[in-house]
Amino acid sequence: MSDDDDKKLRMSFDPSTLEHLGVKMYSSLPNALAELIANAYDADATCVRINLHDDGANKSIEVIDDGVGMTFDEINDKFLRIGRNRRAEEDTYSPSGNRKATGKKGLGKLALFGLAQRIKIETRQKRMDEKIIFELDWNKIMSSEKPEYNPTSKLKPCDPSKQGTKITLLDLKRSSPFDKKELAVSISKLFVFFDNKKFKCCLTLNNDEPMAVNQKLKYESVDEQFPWKFPEFSMSIDDNFEYKNRISGKIISTRKPLKPNLRGITLYANGRLVNAPEFFGRSESSHVYSYLTGWLEVDYIDNLEEDVISTNRQSLNWENEEMKKLRNFLFKILQKIVKEWREKWQKAKEEKISKDTGINIEIWMGETPESIRKILRRILRLVIEDGGIDPILTEKIVNNIYGLVPGYPYYHWRNLHPKVKEISREYYQKEDYYTAFSESVKCYIDEIMRITGSQSPPFNLMKEVFILPDAHQCSECNRPFKPIKKVSGTQPILDVTAKYVQSGKSFKQATLDGIQKGQGLLSQGVVAGGRNTMAHEEFRNLKQTDLFTEDDCLDALSILSHLFRRLEDAQ
């Protein structure tokens, strides 16, 4: 090769391929600039600055890095060489050897032609007193009669202590104004190495205050609720996937539904996006996926024998056997996350509703009978999990349901006899159901004694006033006693059925006798099984052993309310 040949830049290409890979594949500004950022990273840059210029009439973009720069030969052999497989050439690390290279297809520089007609490149290395300047012109490339383009170049003096590359995009194809914040956010989603202290990126618009591109920008509008961190969570998955401990990152759920462009899990390899956000085969019809986002780093895929990353870095080759295994594992990850999310989200919503309404849902559920609780749980789950219901409306619905089906003690309370409520209210409100029942029984006994004037022992009193007065003995003292008054015929002292008739005629005597006798036997049962039990044992012992529980007290209060109502009918 002659000296003249050494000083000539050469770009070899097929025009149709160049147009397809350059213009059509990289028409997006963030994706195209991402190629230059990746190049800077691979060149061991510590900082890359993107300067947007827009005076209304003309637009241009400068991308400046402090990487190692390029020599003349490196420009020819690497930068201007289309489709170079750097991995095949064992060029898999940055010049320092400390970074795994993100690029490997040699197509990234074509991204620039998706944005601009002209590209100006200035590059220099340390200890070189001249920098190389050359320009690529899209129109000249496409009009070239040979499958080779020779851009003109020149050398200019430079500071030998500095290094780096500056790429200027001129004659931009876009007419819309730049949105610095939007562009910064978009770029932040394409990488995960911006938070590395050894690599920074920032944007300026017309030399204004620089805006840092970092991980926070990805999710600054996201209100995180529940996180799942990796590889910790990966290790909890029941699967023998061999790379489970080499997947890092974070998946989060949010308090409110995400915008569609924020949903899904993004995959990265060596710090760079390789698969756009998705849910890996999981059905997205469930509203759960409106709340999930995050990223996972799967660096190992970059070391596989087959290149599984698409040219535009938006998807992986899921037909590859190794990628099928990865997809299956990611499916299981999301399956478990969805299950955990439902449980955590339900609990969080219940806690919020409890706070807003003053209704402790857990206590409420615990106080309802099991048969009611199952149905109530299903109704509440439908109301709480429906993301389309306004929070205020949700509270109103829950309050109304609680009004219909309050906690069992309160549901039970509203059906008690007024006299029972009057006597037991103080104890009931304190949830002292033993005393509530004990005092109510005393009231019932006292009321019967007041009506009849009897002073008989309680158990015998019930038989005396409600059941036909036969000669009998007191069960408590075993002494015979006589009714307090003689009753003619077959009428008891307190007849609880006398006022009832059926369509102008009397009920069968057997029916009336059964109800009348039932009043006496139930009354005796309340005295013997309830009052006497609590009179002989400490409430604490009854409660701890479940011999006579609080629920038994509540059930007995219901029976007592029934007896009081019958007593009102007595003649």
Side-chain angles (χ1 to χ4, degrees):
M1 184 180 294
S2 67
D3 290 343
D4 288 340
D5 287 336
D6 288 342
K7 296 300 180 182
K8 180 183 291 187
L9 294 177
R10 300 178 301 279
M11 184 179 193
S12 300
F13 60 91
D14 179 300
S16 62
T17 301
L18 195 66
E19 184 175 18
H20 174 74
L21 294 177
V23 177
K24 296 182 179 179
M25 187 170 291
Y26 292 101
S27 58
S28 164
L29 178 58
N31 289 337
L33 292 180
E35 296 296 334
L36 297 181
I37 295 170
N39 286 348
Y41 181 84
D42 292 348
D44 277 325
T46 62
C47 177
V48 59
R49 187 171 75 253
I50 301 172
N51 299 326
L52 308 171
H53 299 284
D54 184 355
D55 62 6
N58 298 297
K59 295 180 177 65
S60 64
I61 302 173
E62 294 175 339
V63 180
I64 306 169
D65 70 64
D66 61 355
V68 297
M70 294 179 284
T71 64
F72 197 91
D73 287 339
E74 286 173 335
I75 294 172
N76 258 335
D77 298 339
K78 297 180 178 180
F79 187 81
L80 293 180
R81 185 177 164 192
I82 307 300
R84 179 177 75 95
N85 189 339
R86 66 184 300 168
R87 303 299 171 89
E89 298 174 13
E90 299 184 353
D91 186 13
T92 58
Y93 287 88
S94 64
S96 68
N98 295 324
R99 293 177 181 172
K100 186 71 179 288
T102 63
K104 60 180 179 180
K105 292 183 173 68
L107 299 174
K109 75 277 296 183
L110 298 181
L112 311 181
F113 290 122
L115 303 178
Q117 296 286 349
R118 293 188 298 124
I119 303 164
K120 182 180 179 182
I121 299 98
E122 301 177 36
T123 185
R124 60 186 183 276
Q125 291 190 334
K126 274 186 179 179
R127 295 179 295 280
M128 294 180 61
D129 55 8
E130 290 183 317
K131 62 181 176 181
I132 305 169
I133 303 173
F134 63 99
E135 184 175 301
L136 304 177
D137 187 308
W138 173 253
N139 291 324
K140 290 181 180 179
I141 292 172
M142 296 306 293
S143 62
S144 175
E145 296 181 357
K146 299 178 181 180
E148 182 176 294
Y149 170 62
N150 302 113
T152 56
S153 63
K154 57 185 177 181
L155 302 175
K156 276 192 174 183
C158 67
D159 184 345
S161 66
K162 295 183 179 181
Q163 64 179 21
T165 299
K166 174 182 177 181
I167 296 180
T168 306
L169 308 182
L170 302 165
D171 297 343
L172 299 189
K173 299 178 181 180
R174 64 180 287 145
S175 57
S176 57
F178 293 122
D179 186 325
K180 185 176 74 170
K181 175 65 178 295
E182 181 181 342
L183 180 58
V185 171
S186 296
I187 291 175
S188 73
K189 295 177 181 179
L190 301 175
F191 300 93
V192 288
F193 50 48
F194 289 132
D195 288 338
N196 185 330
K197 293 182 179 179
K198 296 182 179 179
F199 186 75
K200 304 292 182 183
C201 177
C202 67
L203 275 76
T204 66
L205 175 59
N206 296 328
N207 299 312
D208 65 357
E209 185 71 21
M211 172 178 287
V213 180
N214 52 42
Q215 190 81 343
K216 291 180 180 179
L217 284 177
K218 280 187 182 72
Y219 305 107
E220 69 173 358
S221 61
V222 170
D223 185 8
E224 179 180 327
Q225 186 173 30
F226 307 124
W228 290 269
K229 295 182 179 180
F230 295 78
E232 293 86 349
F233 189 75
S234 293
M235 304 310 291
S236 70
I237 305 298
D238 185 17
D239 192 285
N240 294 324
F241 183 58
E242 62 180 309
Y243 298 106
K244 66 193 304 183
N245 65 337
R246 295 175 63 181
I247 296 177
S248 59
K250 184 178 180 182
I251 294 177
I252 62 176
S253 66
T254 57
R255 298 180 193 278
K256 296 180 180 180
L258 293 158
K259 294 180 179 178
N261 65 338
L262 288 174
R263 299 172 188 172
I265 314 305
T266 309
L267 300 185
Y268 296 86
N270 293 317
R272 194 172 177 190
L273 185 146
V274 293
N275 198 82
E278 63 164 296
F279 291 110
F280 313 107
R282 295 284 302 175
S283 172
E284 298 179 31
S285 59
S286 171
H287 77 286
V288 174
Y289 294 102
S290 301
Y291 295 83
L292 289 181
T293 188
W295 74 96
L296 296 174
E297 297 180 57
V298 288
D299 294 351
Y300 80 91
I301 69 171
D302 231 0
N303 300 323
L304 298 176
E305 184 175 344
E306 181 182 341
D307 182 6
V308 295
I309 305 171
S310 66
T311 301
N312 66 356
R313 306 188 71 91
Q314 294 297 299
S315 63
L316 295 174
N317 177 13
W318 295 113
E319 294 303 313
N320 174 274
E321 288 303 314
E322 292 297 331
M323 293 302 93
K324 286 181 180 179
K325 294 177 184 177
L326 173 62
R327 191 177 185 84
N328 180 63
F329 187 65
L330 296 175
F331 182 94
K332 290 183 177 181
I333 284 175
L334 286 171
Q335 189 174 40
K336 186 171 183 179
I337 284 177
V338 167
K339 183 176 182 296
E340 288 190 6
W341 179 87
R342 289 187 186 279
E343 294 170 353
K344 292 181 177 181
W345 196 83
Q346 177 80 14
K347 184 177 180 180
K349 288 285 283 185
E350 287 182 0
E351 288 174 353
K352 184 179 186 307
I353 290 173
S354 294
K355 181 180 178 181
D356 294 340
T357 63
I359 301 170
N360 188 310
I361 293 180
E362 280 305 310
I363 294 178
W364 177 18
M365 292 298 102
E367 291 178 341
T368 55
E370 186 175 354
S371 58
I372 297 176
R373 187 184 312 144
K374 291 180 180 179
I375 299 172
L376 195 55
R377 275 284 188 197
R378 287 199 293 267
I379 294 172
L380 286 176
R381 187 170 289 114
L382 288 172
V383 172
I384 292 173
E385 285 190 359
D386 191 336
I389 298 181
D390 180 86
I392 296 177
L393 180 57
T394 299
E395 292 172 25
K396 290 181 178 179
I397 293 173
V398 171
N399 271 315
N400 282 316
I401 294 173
Y402 185 77
L404 289 171
V405 190
Y408 182 63
Y410 303 99
Y411 180 75
H412 170 269
W413 171 261
R414 67 185 183 178
N415 293 307
L416 294 181
H417 187 273
K419 195 68 176 178
V420 175
K421 288 183 178 181
E422 177 187 340
I423 299 301
S424 66
R425 185 183 305 276
E426 175 186 352
Y427 310 106
Y428 208 101
Q429 289 176 345
K430 295 178 181 178
E431 298 184 2
D432 180 3
Y433 305 123
Y434 286 97
T435 305
F437 171 61
S438 177
E439 292 299 306
S440 296
V441 175
K442 291 178 186 178
C443 177
Y444 181 63
I445 294 170
D446 290 346
E447 185 70 6
I448 293 175
M449 286 181 172
R450 183 189 66 79
I451 295 172
T452 64
S454 173
Q455 295 298 314
S456 299
F459 182 84
N460 296 97
L461 176 65
M462 302 308 165
K463 181 176 182 181
E464 174 187 327
V465 300
F466 293 118
I467 302 176
L468 290 178
D470 300 325
H472 55 280
Q473 291 182 328
C474 173
S475 64
E476 297 184 8
C477 63
N478 295 319
R479 291 181 298 180
F481 71 93
K482 296 180 180 180
I484 59 174
K485 61 180 180 179
K486 296 291 181 182
V487 180
S488 60
T490 58
Q491 293 299 312
I493 296 172
L494 294 178
D495 189 340
V496 299
T497 66
K499 76 173 190 178
Y500 293 97
V501 293
Q502 179 183 220
S503 301
K505 64 179 181 178
S506 299
F507 285 94
K508 293 178 182 178
Q509 190 61 42
T511 301
L512 301 175
D513 288 347
I515 292 175
Q516 183 68 36
K517 187 175 182 179
Q519 181 78 7
L521 294 176
L522 282 175
S523 297
Q524 285 183 313
V526 166
V527 171
R531 172 189 172 276
N532 293 350
T533 297
M534 287 187 285
H536 299 146
E537 290 288 345
E538 292 184 30
F539 296 165
R540 177 182 57 185
N541 294 334
L542 294 173
K543 184 175 183 179
Q544 289 177 347
T545 61
D546 286 344
L547 177 61
F548 197 86
T549 67
E550 290 179 316
D551 284 344
D552 291 330
C553 290
L554 294 172
D555 291 340
L557 279 170
S558 294
I559 295 172
L560 199 54
S561 289
H562 167 76
L563 295 175
F564 260 112
R565 291 189 179 96
R566 287 286 186 198
L567 186 59
E568 289 178 345
D569 298 332
Q571 295 180 1

